Amino acid sequence: MRNPQSGAMRNPVAAGAAPPTTQRQPPHPPPGGAAPRGPPAPHAVVDAFGPGVLTADGRLDRPKLGALVFADDDKRATLNAIVHPLVRARSVELESAAGEEDIVVHDVPLLVESELTGLYDMVVVVDASPGTQLDRLVRLRGMAESEARSRMAAQATRERRTAAADLVIDNDGPLEKLEPQVRAVWEQLVERAAAEG
């Protein structure tokens, strides 16, 4: 998170994904089903992985691409080399446009794996046990257990993620218990920004 300027009131500016509120992930589409609509796929992704990672309307089929890259370290590195510079450029653009009253919130799924924690003033990790992660990937997102385990194995361990955090939000329980924690963390961030301003 970055605090570009000081100010009495703080407004969240999302750089990269969702604003600081709890949101459910859309369900993983069933086999043969349509992927959630997203932006057009960068040409470099199609060049690297072929047209099979596209939906019928030319959008990126994120579940299909995810299944490919989380099963192969080299493919994941190729994708990261394409996507990360684009994400960083967009994040810098949004951060530069932030007003004096704003707190910029970066949603960075591979923050620890990419060793980028030093770029941010604060790191907040939303933590869940491996059992909870597996259950949610299989039950809520429709992944095969083997695919879910492969995805989890490609990510930083729970210990590495929490060690990198300034603040940890417990996400092992239901959504109703998550919301108050997110609000409490946001209040801490606002107070911290005001004190530094």
Side-chain angles (χ1 to χ4, degrees):
M1 299 191 184
R2 288 278 176 87
N3 173 24
Q5 301 279 340
S6 63
M9 295 293 292
R10 300 297 175 190
N11 305 308
V13 175
T21 184
T22 53
Q23 295 184 352
R24 291 189 189 273
Q25 289 289 327
H28 194 280
R37 286 186 60 85
H43 293 294
V45 173
V46 179
D47 291 345
F49 298 99
V53 297
L54 297 177
T55 61
D57 65 353
R59 306 251 171 203
L60 192 60
D61 188 330
R62 294 173 60 93
K64 188 177 285 186
L65 181 60
L68 283 175
V69 301
F70 281 104
D72 185 307
D73 291 344
D74 291 337
K75 288 180 180 176
R76 190 166 58 257
T78 297
L79 179 64
N80 288 343
I82 295 167
V83 174
H84 286 182
L86 299 174
V87 171
R88 280 191 215 105
R90 180 64 176 144
S91 292
V92 167
E93 180 184 336
L94 291 169
E95 190 171 308
S96 298
E100 291 185 4
E101 303 296 313
D102 299 329
I103 294 175
V104 179
V105 178
H106 295 267
D107 183 354
V108 187
L110 298 175
L111 180 74
V112 175
E113 294 85 344
S114 302
E115 300 182 354
L116 299 175
T117 56
L119 297 177
Y120 303 97
D121 299 325
M122 292 279 296
V123 174
V124 179
V125 168
V126 181
D127 177 58
S129 68
T132 299
Q133 289 177 293
L134 182 63
D135 172 67
R136 289 175 179 167
L137 289 171
V138 172
R139 183 173 50 85
L140 299 179
R141 297 185 75 182
M143 289 185 188
E145 184 173 333
S146 59
E147 181 185 351
R149 288 187 184 280
S150 174
R151 189 166 292 210
M152 290 169 61
Q155 297 173 350
T157 64
R158 184 182 195 186
E159 292 75 22
R160 275 188 67 202
R161 288 192 307 270
T162 55
D166 296 295
L167 297 169
V168 177
I169 295 173
D170 175 21
N171 191 19
D172 255 331
L175 191 64
E176 298 74 38
K177 291 190 175 180
L178 182 63
E179 184 95 27
Q181 292 183 78
V182 172
R183 291 186 187 284
V185 164
W186 181 249
E187 288 170 9
Q188 288 181 56
L189 296 173
V190 169
E191 289 172 8
R192 182 179 186 270
E196 291 181 353

